Amino acid sequence: MKLTSRILVAAPLAAALTFGLAAVPATAAPAATSVAGVYTATVAVPKITSQPKSTTVASGKTATFTVKASSSGLKYQWYVKSPGSTKWVKISGTAATRSYYSVKATTKLNKAQYRVKVSNKRGSVTSSAATLAVVTTPKITSQPKDVSTPVGASTTLKVSASGGSLSYKWQKYYSTGWKTISGATKSSFATKAIKGTNKYRVIVSNKAGKVTSRTTSVIGTKPKITTQPKSVIADTGSTVTFKVAASGSPLTYKWQRKLSGSDTWKTISGATSSTLKFTADSSLELSSYRVIVTNSVGSVTSSTVDLFVNSSVTDPIQDNQWFSLTNWISAVFAQSKEVDPYDSTRTDLWANIYLYNWSNESLDPGIEIAVLYRDADGERYDSNGYYVEGTGLEFIGLMAPGAEAEAEILANVPSGKEFGGVWEIYDMSGELVQYIAGF
């Protein structure tokens, strides 16, 4: 009877029902079943509960990869994919048939990948890949360099090293010794220069060892001007703006002005920012400007720039004041007047004019420059057919670049019309006019 019962365990369902056994629904979960004293267990497909993990080891050391899986009757087979390969290769030997696999690390195995196939009678599952990083003792290939930069300016120290999987620890030297800088854990380190000489170094490490860089110095210096101010051409009454840019902080600024014909620089009251603004007038024609930028270490002075003011009838250049035209630097001086010896109802207005050719071409002022006298009513007068024998503009001739000359100018006006008038000096080549105060 026992033999018959054993046969019935494998018999068709109908036969089982004949002996009074309950039918098991097709959708029921696998379960242990007892038939006539015989116990049969259902085995599950393997399931990985802990994947192999990537690891970093020093060359010559042993790396171990481990997997954990659930179910019973488990078998393991490890595979490797060599660096640069796309093919998984079965690892031979009993060492590759356990739940862990150990391998001696060499630089040739750097970036090799490992995985394992876990199987039993119900099926198999393959783990995710774990990467082997093989490192060597760090070696610095490019040392951080000394830096001199303005106080307050940012600078970046950099190091390059070989060895693989590197960690960085920047340090600063104090009177009590070297101290690690919080958060400075990359191959570069940004800091701001402060007054004096400050020393830094970096420790580069991995699992194979560590190496310390040379000591590098960051020296805080006086400011450095990065953008110089530029000369400006402005109409009288308009706003003039000069700007400077400098590196470092904190910085102070002191703008200075030198008037045309003067050798003295004077500080401009209230001009203490990187930008200087003011209203142009004819008294500032050909004035020069500069700025002194200062930090805790010292000062630097900008390049000198000039202001060119286009005068007007209501704001003319004054007698004996230097002024500019397109191609000339000039001044009108020694003005005088006398009754026209040929017409007592008219007056001859005389003045001397100084000319300096500041272009890079030879020019003839008799052709390039024209002079008129404008009265208070806006009427214009020339020499009225007269010319200045020997000393007029037309007798100067061609002037080379940098050449200087003086000439007399004449305007013949109805007597009384000279009062409140201005000289109009035309630079024909640049269609520019300057107005010079008259009588």
Side-chain angles (χ1 to χ4, degrees), residues 237-281:
S238 66
T239 299
V240 175
T241 302
F242 291 107
K243 295 181 180 180
V244 71
S247 58
S249 65
L251 300 175
T252 61
Y253 304 87
K254 183 169 67 175
W255 287 90
Q256 295 182 322
R257 173 189 288 133
K258 184 175 69 173
L259 294 176
S260 173
S262 172
D263 295 325
T264 304
W265 286 99
K266 293 185 178 181
T267 298
I268 302 172
S269 177
T272 57
S273 71
S274 60
T275 299
L276 171 65
K277 288 188 176 184
F278 59 91
T279 300
D281 63 62

Side-chain angles (χ1 to χ4, degrees), residues 11 18 56 181 275 403 411 415 417:
T18 303
T56 300
I181 302 169
T275 299
S415 296
K417 285 291 188 177

Side-chain angles (χ1 to χ4, degrees), residues 49-246:
T49 57
S50 179
Q51 298 282 357
K53 294 179 174 58
S54 297
T55 187
T56 300
V57 297
S59 179
K61 300 295 183 178
T62 298
T64 299
F65 300 95
T66 302
V67 70
K68 291 182 180 179
S70 60
S71 196
S72 58
L74 299 176
K75 294 182 179 180
Y76 305 87
Q77 179 58 58
W78 289 86
Y79 294 80
V80 63
K81 184 167 68 173
S82 299
S85 175
T86 58
K87 183 179 180 181
W88 287 96
V89 177
K90 180 179 178 181
I91 303 173
S92 61
T94 57
T97 59
R98 304 185 182 100
S99 60
Y100 62 91
Y101 177 69
S102 297
V103 59
K104 186 176 182 179
T106 65
T107 54
K108 291 183 178 180
L109 290 177
N110 184 43
K111 296 185 179 180
Q113 292 185 303
Y114 294 84
R115 70 183 185 187
V116 59
K117 181 178 181 181
V118 185
S119 61
N120 63 12
K121 292 182 178 180
R122 288 294 304 276
S124 64
V125 62
T126 300
S127 73
S128 58
T131 301
L132 172 61
V134 182
V135 298
T136 57
T137 303
K139 181 180 180 181
I140 292 178
T141 56
S142 178
Q143 295 280 358
K145 295 177 174 59
D146 293 335
V147 176
S148 293
T149 193
V151 168
S154 296
T155 188
T156 300
L157 303 177
K158 298 179 181 180
V159 69
S160 296
S162 61
S165 299
L166 300 173
S167 297
Y168 303 89
K169 183 168 66 175
W170 288 90
Q171 297 181 323
K172 182 179 179 180
Y173 185 78
Y174 296 87
S175 58
T176 55
W178 290 98
K179 292 186 179 181
T180 298
I181 302 169
S182 177
T185 56
K186 297 181 179 180
S187 60
S188 61
F189 165 64
T191 186
K192 287 188 175 181
I194 60 177
K195 186 177 181 179
T197 300
N198 297 274
K199 297 180 179 180
Y200 298 87
R201 71 180 186 184
V202 59
I203 299 172
V204 186
S205 62
N206 62 14
K207 290 191 174 181
K210 63 181 180 180
V211 62
T212 302
S213 74
R214 66 180 288 271
T215 298
T216 185
S217 297
V218 176
I219 302 172
T221 65
K222 63 184 181 181
K224 180 180 179 181
I225 293 179
T226 55
T227 303
Q228 295 282 356
K230 298 178 181 178
S231 295
V232 172
I233 300 174
D235 293 331
T236 182
S238 66
T239 299
V240 175
T241 302
F242 291 107
K243 295 181 180 180
V244 71

Side-chain angles (χ1 to χ4, degrees), residues 359-390:
S359 74
N360 56 7
E361 299 178 5
S362 294
L363 299 172
D364 185 343
I367 299 174
E368 300 289 340
I369 294 177
V371 179
L372 297 174
Y373 194 83
R374 173 173 171 157
D375 68 17
D377 297 320
E379 292 293 329
R380 293 177 174 86
Y381 305 93
D382 58 16
S383 62
N384 196 26
Y386 299 109
Y387 66 93
V388 183
E389 181 70 34

